[in-house]
């Protein structure tokens, strides 16, 4: 078997499209010959650094996004339901605290990224399905508890959130995404022959598969494999 290809997924839990890419890549990490690296990043910093404007601030894009997410939720089998006040959830409250928390959880990981995966998923579920807060310490604690973290681990993660080490790590990941050429999320960076190949959005999986010499089996590869 050829060596596994390294794929980085830069994401922010404030982005619903990132959730779609996140779930697909997590499903395919055992189907494709890849090493998936989850890269929690601050989308607000990427948008500001690239000069991009969030789709939610463009009226027609905002209207389209609501309909689009309903279709995508069914297609990808991800429980997406926009919060009642999207601008407040995405732009007023934002995700800086949440992404510092995810970064803190990643800092605590001894190997792999299982906890990062579980905590990120619970935070997405809170904002993009349950219409609940992801900014307050109590909200972060509840998400982490549902993800299986112990009380001591949650306390440690909350402490790390305010550390300079975690703040710098999140800032560094954001700057790295910008250096790759990011202008929004999700951003998949595939390292091929020593060079990074960028794929933006949650609709480039067929092209990604083609580039790495794998097969796209749809959003639910386990079901597709069972039919073969």
């Amino acid at each position: 078997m050829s060596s596994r290809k390294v794929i980085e997924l830069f994401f922010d839990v404030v982005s619903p499209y990132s959730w779609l890419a996140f779930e697909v890549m997590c499903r395919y990490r055992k189907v494709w010959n890849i090493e998936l690296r989850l890269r929690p990043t601050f989308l607000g910093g990427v948008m500001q650094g690239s000069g991009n404007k969030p789709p939610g601030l463009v009226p027609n894009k905002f209207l389209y996004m609501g309909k689009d997410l309903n279709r995508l939720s069914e297609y990808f089998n991800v429980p997406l339901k926009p919060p009642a006040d999207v601008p407040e959830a995405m732009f007023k409250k934002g995700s800086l605290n949440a992404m510092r928390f995810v970064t803190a959880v990643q800092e605590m990981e001894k190997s792999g990224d299982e906890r990062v995966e579980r905590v990120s998923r619970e935070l997405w579920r809170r904002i993009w399905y349950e219409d609940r807060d992801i900014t307050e310490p109590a909200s972060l604690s509840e998400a982490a508890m549902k993800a299986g973290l112990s009380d001591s681990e949650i306390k440690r993660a909350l402490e790390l959130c305010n550390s300079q080490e975690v703040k710098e790590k999140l800032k560094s990941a954001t700057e790295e995404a910008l250096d790759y050429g990011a202008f929004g999320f999700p951003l998949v960076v595939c390292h091929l022959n020593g060079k990074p190949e960028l794929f933006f959005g949650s609709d480039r999986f067929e092209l990604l598969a083609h580039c790495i010499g794998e097969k796209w089996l749809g959003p639910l590869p386990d079901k597709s494999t069972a039919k073969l």
Side-chain angles (χ1 to χ4, degrees), residues 98-136:
M99 296 317 295
R100 282 177 177 170
F101 187 75
V102 176
T103 302
V105 171
Q106 188 173 61
E107 193 71 13
M108 293 164 54
E109 292 266 30
K110 291 182 172 61
S111 62
D113 52 23
E114 183 180 350
R115 291 176 185 173
V116 171
E117 179 181 340
R118 296 201 310 261
V119 170
S120 298
R121 183 175 289 116
E122 289 301 331
L123 288 171
W124 262 307
R125 184 180 295 274
R126 283 184 72 87
I127 183 175
W128 284 103
Y129 182 65
E130 300 172 351
D131 193 7
R132 302 176 71 188
D133 175 74
I134 60 166
T135 64
E136 299 296 331

Side-chain angles (χ1 to χ4, degrees), residues 2-105:
S2 59
S3 59
R4 293 194 298 170
K5 296 175 177 63
V6 174
I7 292 181
E8 299 179 275
L9 173 62
F10 290 84
F11 68 92
D12 186 322
V13 296
V14 80
S15 161
Y17 293 97
S18 286
W19 191 8
L20 301 173
F22 175 90
E23 295 297 353
V24 168
M25 294 310 303
C26 286
R27 293 166 188 169
Y28 271 88
R29 74 194 315 173
K30 294 182 179 179
V31 177
W32 290 345
N33 186 30
I34 62 173
E35 177 187 338
L36 178 64
R37 296 178 183 175
L38 299 178
R39 302 295 308 274
T41 318
F42 182 44
L43 178 57
V46 167
M47 299 299 283
Q48 183 177 8
S50 64
N52 196 6
K53 181 183 291 188
L57 296 182
V58 180
N60 281 355
K61 284 185 178 180
F62 180 75
L63 291 173
Y64 175 80
M65 190 173 78
K67 297 176 181 178
D68 191 42
L69 290 176
N70 286 334
R71 293 185 300 227
L72 291 171
S73 173
E74 181 179 355
Y75 177 70
F76 284 103
N77 194 28
V78 175
L80 273 171
K81 186 168 65 175
D85 192 336
V86 173
E88 180 183 7
M90 293 189 72
F91 311 126
K92 186 176 180 180
K93 288 187 173 182
S95 60
L96 182 58
N97 289 345
M99 296 317 295
R100 282 177 177 170
F101 187 75
V102 176
T103 302
V105 171

Side-chain angles (χ1 to χ4, degrees), residues 101 104-110 115 118-119 140-141 144-145 147-161:
F101 187 75
V105 171
Q106 188 173 61
E107 193 71 13
M108 293 164 54
E109 292 266 30
K110 291 182 172 61
R115 291 176 185 173
R118 296 201 310 261
V119 170
L140 300 173
S141 297
M145 181 182 66
L149 271 66
S150 67
D151 289 343
S152 60
E153 289 171 333
I154 294 171
K155 181 180 178 182
R156 177 59 178 155
L158 288 172
E159 291 172 349
L160 281 174
C161 274

